[in-house]
Amino acid sequence: MSNQKGSFIFTSESVTEGHPDKICDKISDSILDDFIAQDKYSRVALETMVTTGLVAVAGEVTSNGTVNYQDIIRNVIKEIGYDDSAIGFDYKSCGIITAVGKQSSDISMGVGREKEEDQGAGDQGLMFGYATSETDDFMPAPIYYAHKLTKRLADVRKAGILDFIRPDGKSQVSVRYINGEPDKITSIVISTQHTDSISQESLKEAVISEIIDKTIPAELIDKDTKFFINPTGRFVIGGPNGDTGLTGRKIIVDTYGGMGRHGGGAFSGKDPSKVDRSGSYMARFIAKNIVGSGIAKKCEVQIAYAIGIAEPVSVMTDTFGTGIHSDDIISAAISRVFSLKPYNMLKALDLLRPIYAKTSNYGHFGRFDDDFTWEKLVKIQELKKAALDLSKVKTFV
């Protein structure tokens, strides 16, 4: 996003783990985790679809591990909260279809190398990472608060605090910026699936008091902030009974809420040899450490690959005019500090672990979790030194 001046409003959305698309993401990533737990070099690319009474999983897997698809799928659905047929979809009665083959030998030949460090990218593509100093987790404010609202929705449901809430839900947060900095929240939209017995008035009061008031800082809300709670007036039919879900259909929710660009590749269901996933994680790692170091207030990093080739075909850095060094110097510092070969990214971020099911909801970035290694601020001093050293010379490579 450009370093826009003046006043503007930016909006981002989040969805709960019971949203049909997110059910699919979690199923795909849970199966991936099971394979990686048995064989960390598993090659996995899985897509899930859910609809009324049915789950379908298709894709390609090459692994020394074996998984029980039925058990994993039903356990995920149960854990999310679809445990009663009265909701319209539940883990006991849903049908399950699997159509999983092996990875193409042509792709395998292109990616594999005699030396591990020369491993090629699993596909062509472009990935973006973004970071901003406007929140404590270096995420844009609209998606930061949208995720907090949907996570709170799930938490109060599972804890029984609001026992009329069902698993499907969404949030949307609009933030007014003044000279590029967040000032106030102008509107909040929350739509939550609910039991038939709760009135609209009671639901609205409960959502404001238990979700919004306990999530959003009071100083960001004023008398002009608009609340839209279940604006259609009724949300009893939801989840896969209301909408078909697919893996990889919430890529903006998964990343930066539309703030910053997106290369188009989804994450869930893909093992980390796929640069759609590992490249995006590394780009976030770089951008966050740039901002965390104080070198810039905002940073976007683009990495692009050709299939089967280890080195990226391009690396681009944009600090939107907020850097204390030029973008050229910062880009050169990145090249000194980070290796962007797929094998080296896997090693640097320790990605060959079964950590992916928990990434599938409430964003892949801006999460305080030790397993989210791409969120760690561990390259600050190296970046500062590299940028300072480069700033002292007239030319650099």
Side-chain angles (χ1 to χ4, degrees), residues 136-151:
D136 60 5
D137 63 3
F138 299 89
M139 290 291 285
I143 192 68
Y144 175 84
Y145 291 112
H147 282 323
K148 285 188 175 296
L149 290 168
T150 51
K151 182 64 166 59

Side-chain angles (χ1 to χ4, degrees), residues 291-369:
V291 176
S293 71
I295 291 174
K297 290 185 177 180
K298 294 180 184 178
C299 182
E300 183 178 75
V301 176
Q302 185 203 56
I303 312 171
Y305 292 91
I307 187 169
I309 305 301
E311 292 286 357
V313 296
S314 69
V315 180
M316 183 277 295
T317 309
D318 189 351
T319 59
F320 310 100
T322 68
I324 63 173
H325 303 290
S326 71
D327 288 347
D328 287 344
I329 287 176
I330 294 172
S331 293
I334 288 169
S335 296
R336 284 195 179 186
V337 174
F338 301 94
S339 171
L340 299 179
K341 288 183 176 182
Y343 174 80
N344 291 334
M345 294 192 300
L346 296 180
K347 295 287 285 184
L349 299 179
D350 195 16
L351 295 179
L352 298 178
R353 296 173 296 135
I355 59 172
Y356 297 105
K358 61 183 173 181
T359 70
S360 61
N361 290 290
Y362 313 113
H364 291 245
F365 309 122
R367 305 270 295 277
F368 296 103
D369 186 304

Side-chain angles (χ1 to χ4, degrees), residues 101-118:
K102 288 190 174 183
Q103 182 190 51
S104 161
S105 59
D106 290 346
I107 294 175
S108 181
M109 178 179 64
V111 173
R113 290 291 184 272
E114 187 174 333
K115 294 181 179 180
E116 281 188 315
E117 59 267 29
D118 293 330

Side-chain angles (χ1 to χ4, degrees), residues 81-98:
Y82 288 103
D83 54 6
D84 186 344
S85 60
I87 301 177
F89 181 84
D90 71 287
Y91 75 98
K92 294 178 183 177
S93 65
C94 66
I96 295 174
I97 298 172
T98 59

Side-chain angles (χ1 to χ4, degrees), residues 142-362:
I143 192 68
Y144 175 84
Y145 291 112
H147 282 323
K148 285 188 175 296
L149 290 168
T150 51
K151 182 64 166 59
R152 176 69 181 168
L153 266 178
D155 289 346
V156 299
R157 170 176 61 86
K158 291 179 176 181
I161 296 170
L162 299 182
D163 59 4
F164 55 84
I165 288 180
R166 287 177 170 173
D168 195 0
K170 291 183 173 184
S171 71
Q172 187 169 281
V173 176
S174 300
V175 176
R176 183 178 69 209
Y177 284 75
I178 296 178
N179 292 326
E181 297 295 330
D183 175 54
K184 292 287 183 181
I185 291 175
T186 59
S187 68
I188 294 174
V189 183
I190 293 181
S191 295
T192 180
Q193 188 185 15
H194 58 86
T195 62
D196 200 15
S197 58
I198 189 75
S199 70
Q200 171 69 3
E201 183 179 350
S202 297
L203 183 146
K204 182 175 181 178
E205 290 176 358
V207 167
I208 290 173
S209 63
E210 285 293 338
I211 309 299
I212 296 174
D213 288 350
K214 294 190 176 180
T215 302
I216 306 298
E219 62 269 20
L220 291 178
I221 295 175
D222 61 21
K223 61 181 178 58
D224 296 320
T225 302
K226 295 181 174 61
F227 299 148
F228 301 97
I229 313 300
N230 280 26
T232 63
R234 177 181 167 89
F235 189 1
V236 173
I237 299 172
N241 193 36
D243 287 296
T244 297
L246 295 169
T247 297
R249 202 158 60 178
K250 286 290 178 284
I251 59 175
I252 300 303
V253 171
D254 284 343
T255 52
Y256 309 103
M259 185 91 66
R261 287 168 282 196
H262 197 296
F267 304 152
S268 291
K270 297 176 182 177
D271 74 82
S273 76
K274 277 71 172 175
V275 287
D276 276 344
R277 186 162 219 158
S278 55
S280 296
Y281 289 177
M282 178 58 82
R284 163 65 176 177
F285 183 51
I286 295 169
K288 184 173 180 179
N289 275 269
I290 290 289
V291 176
S293 71
I295 291 174
K297 290 185 177 180
K298 294 180 184 178
C299 182
E300 183 178 75
V301 176
Q302 185 203 56
I303 312 171
Y305 292 91
I307 187 169
I309 305 301
E311 292 286 357
V313 296
S314 69
V315 180
M316 183 277 295
T317 309
D318 189 351
T319 59
F320 310 100
T322 68
I324 63 173
H325 303 290
S326 71
D327 288 347
D328 287 344
I329 287 176
I330 294 172
S331 293
I334 288 169
S335 296
R336 284 195 179 186
V337 174
F338 301 94
S339 171
L340 299 179
K341 288 183 176 182
Y343 174 80
N344 291 334
M345 294 192 300
L346 296 180
K347 295 287 285 184
L349 299 179
D350 195 16
L351 295 179
L352 298 178
R353 296 173 296 135
I355 59 172
Y356 297 105
K358 61 183 173 181
T359 70
S360 61
N361 290 290
Y362 313 113

